[in-house]
Amino acid sequence: QVQLAESGGGLVQPGGSLRLSCAASGSLLSINAMGWYRQAPGKQRELVASITSIGYTYYADSVKGRFTISRDNAKNTVYLQMNSLKPEDTAVYYCNAHITVISKEDPYWGQGTQVTVSS
């Protein structure tokens, strides 16, 4: 069974920084793309950033220049460094990974971690 474990959320003042981590564990064969989504109250879940297995990245316009996604393939871990945080970044952040178990690739989700940006 594959699990994604997130950490690093919390309360931060506007302009501050946080670093989210998400580690995959279990009987996995390989990990393809990994990414971070977020969902604010009353809004749909949206893609924040993603990274392929060879390091190609995508960022939503709202976070370009402020957030950086990276991954450590040896540790099956993806990170999201969030700088210059704004109140509108407040949301539950979810890790997503496309993981192959035996011979089939499926998307997996973490449990979510709360990020609150407030003074």
Side-chain angles (χ1 to χ4, degrees), residues 1-7 20-36 70-79 94-101 106-111:
Q1 188 174 356
V2 173
Q3 290 186 326
L4 297 180
E6 299 153 345
S7 61
L20 306 182
S21 299
C22 172
S25 63
S27 302
L28 61 91
L29 189 62
S30 63
I31 304 177
N32 197 348
M34 303 183 82
W36 291 93
S70 61
R71 64 190 284 172
D72 184 334
N73 290 332
K75 296 181 179 180
N76 293 332
T77 300
V78 63
Y79 307 95
Y94 296 91
C95 172
N96 171 268
H98 290 256
I99 297 174
T100 298
V101 177
D106 288 304
Y108 289 82
W109 293 90
Q111 79 282 359

Side-chain angles (χ1 to χ4, degrees), residues 13-98:
Q13 291 187 341
S17 299
L18 283 175
R19 189 192 195 208
L20 306 182
S21 299
C22 172
S25 63
S27 302
L28 61 91
L29 189 62
S30 63
I31 304 177
N32 197 348
M34 303 183 82
W36 291 93
Y37 288 70
R38 67 186 181 188
Q39 188 167 19
K43 294 189 176 181
Q44 289 189 331
R45 190 174 296 190
E46 63 175 354
L47 176 62
V48 175
S50 65
I51 184 168
T52 69
S53 59
I54 58 173
Y56 290 114
T57 58
Y58 162 85
Y59 295 95
D61 287 343
S62 58
V63 306
K64 280 181 183 176
R66 300 187 299 120
F67 291 10
T68 302
I69 190 169
S70 61
R71 64 190 284 172
D72 184 334
N73 290 332
K75 296 181 179 180
N76 293 332
T77 300
V78 63
Y79 307 95
L80 187 67
Q81 177 66 44
M82 305 184 293
N83 299 329
S84 302
L85 282 161
K86 304 175 181 179
E88 50 264 43
D89 294 317
T90 296
V92 178
Y93 284 70
Y94 296 91
C95 172
N96 171 268
H98 290 256

